[in-house]
Amino acid sequence: MSTPGIRITAVVPAWNEAESLPELQRELAAALDAVGGPWEVLYIDDGSRDGTDAVVERLAAADPRVRGVSFRGNYGKAAALATGFRLARGAWILTLDADLQDDPAELPRLVAALEGGLDLVSGWKRRRQDPFSKTFPSKVFNLVTSWVVGLRLHDFNCGFKLYRREVTEAIQVYGELHRVLPALAHWQGFRVGEVAVHHRPRRHGRSKFGVSRFVNGFLDLLSAAFISTSALKPLHVFGRIGGVCLLVGGGISLWFFGQWVIGTPMRTRPLMLIGGWLLLTGLQFILMGLLGEMIAHMRAHADYPVRRRYNLDEPA
Ligand SMILES: Nc1nc2c(ncn2[C@@H]2O[C@H](COP(=O)(O)OP(=O)(O)O)[C@@H](O)[C@H]2O)c(=O)[nH]1
Ligand SMILES: [Mg+2]
């Protein structure tokens, strides 16, 4: 339930971003004031070790509209967003990165998109201020994801997004699914769109994500598709794959059996054996992974241990 009155809650996941937060809070407050209506900002400090907690404490003391929590450990961006979504009281929920790369001055354009009827609008870092080693794989990821999801977005993983509350209440964010949030919303039937936003170079601190994110990105997409789309019912997926394996394996075995019956000498082909073994093992690994995802999905409402709260009475 949203608290009557609060129009926008800004959720800011922050991991070691102490230097950026004061400036961010100034820019964010100005932008929220400009679009009008009561607002709040929620900082989710994810086990930072650089004094981010002291900064949030100071900001919260200076302005009661600033709230937040500090996790005991580093549980990841998805955990921070899920917690922010749960604590948010606004009718609309804004998320943005803590590192000042997203420009709060773009907020009115996101607001206009929701007023125009969208349920979720995602920023698109059209001129992305990051190295090529990041922008190129990201292009590939977004093309493939658009194709798989059936929703053309240029920038699924942009941290700058505005949601109607219904969306944040409906989607379950855990693991690293923060990369594919628009897909989760789209698959639930929400109207999802994008607007190009101004993107700035990082000023303080360093990027928290390395190249591994691109491999993970595709695995996240697979698991999101698996748990979200009715086309991917576990037994339908496993059953089809298993059925094909049985048919092919059965065919091959029958053929060899026939050869044996008519007296053809059987030769051993190690490579063929290894190939078959690899196929089966690979399949097993993927299926085990998907089963694991299903179990993780059942626990998606887990609460993360909180060390401190800022302007927050309820247990977080
Ligand atoms: N809560 C939380 N936030 C994170 C984590 N890793 C990164 N972030 C935040 O996510 C945002 C984007 O991270 P950043 O490293 O700038 O990613 P990049 O801009 O894609 O290189 C920043 O606000 C980070 O503080 C994490 O493990 N937990
Ligand atoms: Mg960044």
Side-chain angles (χ1 to χ4, degrees):
M1 280 289 293
S2 68
T3 301
I6 295 189
R7 183 172 181 216
I8 298 182
T9 299
V11 171
V12 184
W15 183 30
N16 295 334
E17 306 283 5
E19 287 173 293
S20 301
L21 291 193
E23 170 73 18
L24 178 74
Q25 175 59 28
R26 267 194 300 279
E27 292 189 11
L28 197 50
L32 287 162
D33 280 336
V35 298
W39 51 263
E40 63 178 359
V41 179
L42 268 173
Y43 288 102
I44 315 293
D45 158 29
D46 194 8
S48 301
R49 293 276 179 268
D50 70 337
T52 293
D53 56 347
V55 177
V56 177
E57 182 181 35
R58 197 152 46 71
L59 296 174
D63 187 338
R65 295 170 297 185
V66 174
R67 306 162 72 222
V69 293
S70 287
F71 287 158
R72 288 193 179 280
N74 179 238
Y75 307 132
K77 195 172 179 182
L81 289 178
T83 302
F85 289 164
R86 194 161 48 76
L87 296 174
R89 298 177 298 181
W92 289 0
I93 287 115
L94 171 76
T95 62
L96 77 170
D97 285 354
D99 59 2
L100 293 167
Q101 289 198 265
D102 299 326
D103 184 353
E106 297 279 18
L107 179 60
R109 309 189 43 227
L110 300 186
V111 168
L114 249 59
E115 279 168 348
L118 289 181
D119 297 312
L120 161 57
V121 60
S122 181
W124 165 23
K125 305 178 288 260
R126 196 203 290 251
R127 287 172 187 280
R128 191 165 168 188
Q129 305 296 324
D130 282 316
F132 181 75
S133 60
K134 226 179 207 171
T135 52
F136 177 73
S138 153
K139 265 211 172 79
V140 177
F141 174 74
N142 282 297
L143 271 175
V144 175
T145 306
S146 296
W147 176 69
V148 170
V149 178
L151 167 75
R152 181 67 180 117
L153 291 188
H154 293 84
D155 198 357
F156 275 82
N157 186 15
C158 184
F160 202 19
K161 290 186 166 66
L162 186 63
Y163 304 75
R164 279 181 208 280
R165 185 176 191 85
E166 293 88 314
V167 181
T168 58
E169 280 177 355
I171 56 182
Q172 296 189 353
V173 198
Y174 63 90
E176 300 201 4
L177 292 189
H178 62 272
R179 295 199 183 90
V180 291
L181 289 173
L184 295 178
H186 173 76
W187 276 321
Q188 298 225 10
F190 291 110
R191 287 158 300 174
V192 180
E194 69 182 354
V195 296
V197 291
H198 174 215
H199 189 238
R200 308 182 284 195
R202 201 181 233 286
R203 262 192 270 164
H204 310 285
R206 16 186 226 102
S207 171
K208 312 294 189 296
F209 296 105
V211 190
S212 69
R213 77 162 105 189
F214 295 107
V215 179
N216 290 343
F218 287 111
L219 296 175
D220 295 333
L221 178 62
L222 176 64
S223 82
F226 188 72
I227 56 176
S228 303
T229 65
S230 55
L232 292 181
K233 290 265 191 308
L235 191 61
H236 291 182
V237 175
F238 295 166
R240 276 194 180 79
I241 297 173
V244 169
C245 288
L246 280 182
L247 273 178
V248 175
I252 292 174
S253 308
L254 261 181
W255 186 79
F256 273 110
F257 182 70
Q259 295 289 305
W260 177 72
V261 167
I262 60 172
T264 317
M266 295 283 109
R267 275 176 294 167
T268 3
R269 306 285 301 275
L271 194 62
M272 198 178 83
L273 289 180
I274 292 173
W277 179 80
L278 280 177
L279 271 178
L280 283 179
T281 318
L283 207 63
Q284 287 295 331
F285 272 113
I286 293 174
L287 296 186
M288 296 272 272
L290 290 175
L291 281 177
E293 283 294 331
M294 294 176 67
I295 296 167
H297 181 66
M298 288 194 277
R299 299 195 55 245
H301 287 300
D303 288 343
Y304 301 93
V306 162
R307 187 167 55 85
R308 296 178 70 176
R309 304 180 168 79
Y310 314 93
N311 288 339
L312 207 80
D313 310 323
E314 61 208 281

